[in-house]
Amino acid sequence: MAPKENNSTLKESDKISFKDEIIMGSFPQKELYKLYSKHVSKPKADFFKSIGLGVIQGKRERLTISMLEGRKPNKPPIQLLDCRTSGGVFNLGHRHPAIIKAMKDGIDAGLDIGDHHLISEQRALLAKELADLLPGDISQTQFCVGGGEAIDLAIKLARSTTKRKKVLSAKLGYHGVTGLAVAAGDSKFSAPFLANSADFVQVEFGNIESLMSVINDTFACLILETIPATGGILIAPPGYFTQVRSLCDKHGVLLIADEVQSGLGRTGEMWGIYGGIYPEEKIIPDIMVLAKGMSAGYYPLATCSYRPFIGEVFEQDPFIHISTTGGSELGCYVTRKMLQIISNPTFLQNVQKVGTQLGESLQSFKAQYPSLITEVRGRGLMWGVEFINERYGVGYTLQMIKNGIFADYCGNNEQTIKLMPPLITNTEEMKEIIRRLDEALLGLPLPKNP
């Protein structure tokens, strides 16, 4: 039965009661916007409104996100094609039937979060299935709730294993907003919280000379996004990660691969670090972190997986690091179904095919608008379009939204647009995405002095 409509107006003095019969659209969009602004974040609400998204998300299906109402009264609800996927959370699109079934089946079978002081069937099975898929001898996994927590754990493990404290990372990087994760990221996110530390040193991504000038035997680890997403969908030159691996081995520095956005089939290969950037360059990191897409869009779950020699700290005290809700039994079951879908070779071949379709179109846009677009970068279904300056990055975001595309500019590189459509996108859907991207370009003014 469809949810009942509710046209009631919320007053300041009203108390909100839980309504079983109304889940989406419990109050008019205008009232919900006010609630969000007052009780969640007014700055966020104001920002969304400024880019034409002062609306409330409603029904979602496959690639489409529908809003509860239009931007103005009596206007039809906005519909957007999701080319953002929340950084890969929605790799399988929205409301994937197999994932919904897994969620329901898991609940009906009696699964819940589970108690982390008891041995878990679902954690054991998911960890084994990950070990079968991960590169090399990465075979042990700790479970977390989100990517930041998993990055924190990865750095803790590196420190406990090497008995060193210093951490190397890349400028423009982003690894989350928790303690160690935010310190490893770009200062844009760490400085406001006074999280900058002399123990965290940054180098230029993709520049092996920059790394060689800094790395030495005092560092515990080097953490890199395989493809820095927030930094602008940066693609390292051929051989870079091979040299990175060699330098880490030379100095006893553990290599942490942040595959939160570039992993899980996003590049057309299962892992970005293992043949996803260059087919011949298959690197085995010491630790790999996964999140976002591990949720399958429904149940938050992140993992920190590592090679056997790294788990020594847990032999001394197996409870030295715990996560009460990380690795929910229900979440693990849902994630297992997601991995079964994404690791299928036919699925990955489609990502490669549709990714090539998108990449070639973006390159043609660059050739058509050389005064606007300076570079197109990407792999699989993870692409960045760099404009001549930040104004055009923001401007193109607005034009995409006007043309029904949900995507945005990169947080640490605002002149670059990030495009990450769902991995289930087919060729016909991609044609429509490309058509809308083209229309959005027509809405941009050409520079006066190209």
Side-chain angles (χ1 to χ4, degrees), residues 169-170 175 205 222-226 240-241 244 255-258:
S169 61
H175 302 285
F205 178 81
L222 166 63
I223 178 169
L224 294 172
E225 298 165 89
T226 308
Y240 174 73
F241 278 103
V244 164
L255 176 59
I256 302 173
D258 181 339

Side-chain angles (χ1 to χ4, degrees), residues 242-312:
T242 300
Q243 292 175 288
V244 164
R245 177 73 272 183
S246 178
L247 283 171
C248 286
D249 290 341
K250 177 181 177 181
H251 294 284
V253 175
L254 298 189
L255 176 59
I256 302 173
D258 181 339
E259 290 259 315
V260 170
Q261 297 197 54
S262 60
L264 296 172
R266 177 53 62 177
T267 62
E269 297 291 337
M270 195 64 195
W271 313 115
I273 195 74
Y274 199 74
I277 304 178
Y278 302 103
E280 69 282 1
E281 198 162 16
K282 296 183 176 181
I283 307 303
I284 301 172
D286 298 301
I287 303 174
M288 185 184 288
V289 172
L290 303 172
K292 293 188 185 294
M294 291 290 280
S295 69
Y298 277 95
Y299 210 110
L301 190 144
T303 53
C304 175
S305 302
Y306 48 92
R307 299 170 67 189
F309 73 90
I310 290 171
E312 178 186 350

Side-chain angles (χ1 to χ4, degrees), residues 159-212:
R159 285 175 164 180
S160 67
T161 300
T162 63
K163 306 300 185 289
R164 305 171 185 173
K165 193 175 182 182
K166 293 174 69 177
V167 175
L168 268 169
S169 61
K171 297 173 183 178
L172 302 181
Y174 179 85
H175 302 285
V177 296
T178 52
L180 298 175
V182 78
D186 192 81
S187 60
K188 174 181 177 179
F189 291 93
S190 58
F193 301 103
L194 307 183
N196 292 344
S197 167
D199 292 323
F200 288 79
V201 178
Q202 296 194 323
V203 297
E204 184 181 343
F205 178 81
N207 184 334
I208 200 65
E209 287 78 18
S210 176
L211 177 61
M212 291 175 66

Side-chain angles (χ1 to χ4, degrees), residues 20 74 78 81 97 115 148 163 174 181 226-227 246-247 253 323 336 341 352 362 374 381 404 421-422 427 440 443 445:
D20 287 327
N74 303 318
I78 300 167
L81 293 180
D115 194 307
K163 306 300 185 289
Y174 179 85
T226 308
I227 300 177
S246 178
L247 283 171
V253 175
S323 181
R336 290 176 60 208
I341 295 169
Q352 295 168 10
L362 296 177
T374 61
L381 282 171
T427 54

Side-chain angles (χ1 to χ4, degrees), residues 57-128:
Q57 56 187 314
K59 185 178 179 181
R60 285 138 270 182
E61 193 76 34
R62 199 170 165 84
L63 273 66
T64 303
I65 304 174
S66 301
M67 306 305 156
L68 290 180
E69 302 173 24
R71 292 187 182 92
K72 296 181 179 180
N74 303 318
K75 293 293 183 180
I78 300 167
Q79 289 192 332
L80 300 173
L81 293 180
D82 189 358
C83 290
R84 184 177 181 277
T85 58
S86 197
V89 169
F90 300 106
N91 277 341
L92 294 179
H94 300 271
R95 292 182 54 77
H96 192 289
I99 299 301
I100 292 175
K101 184 178 185 300
M103 179 78 80
K104 291 179 176 178
D105 288 349
I107 292 172
D108 290 343
L111 296 180
D112 54 18
I113 287 176
D115 194 307
H116 67 276
H117 274 279
L118 292 171
I119 294 175
S120 164
E121 175 182 5
Q122 293 302 319
R123 285 191 185 191
L125 292 171
L126 175 54
K128 170 61 168 68

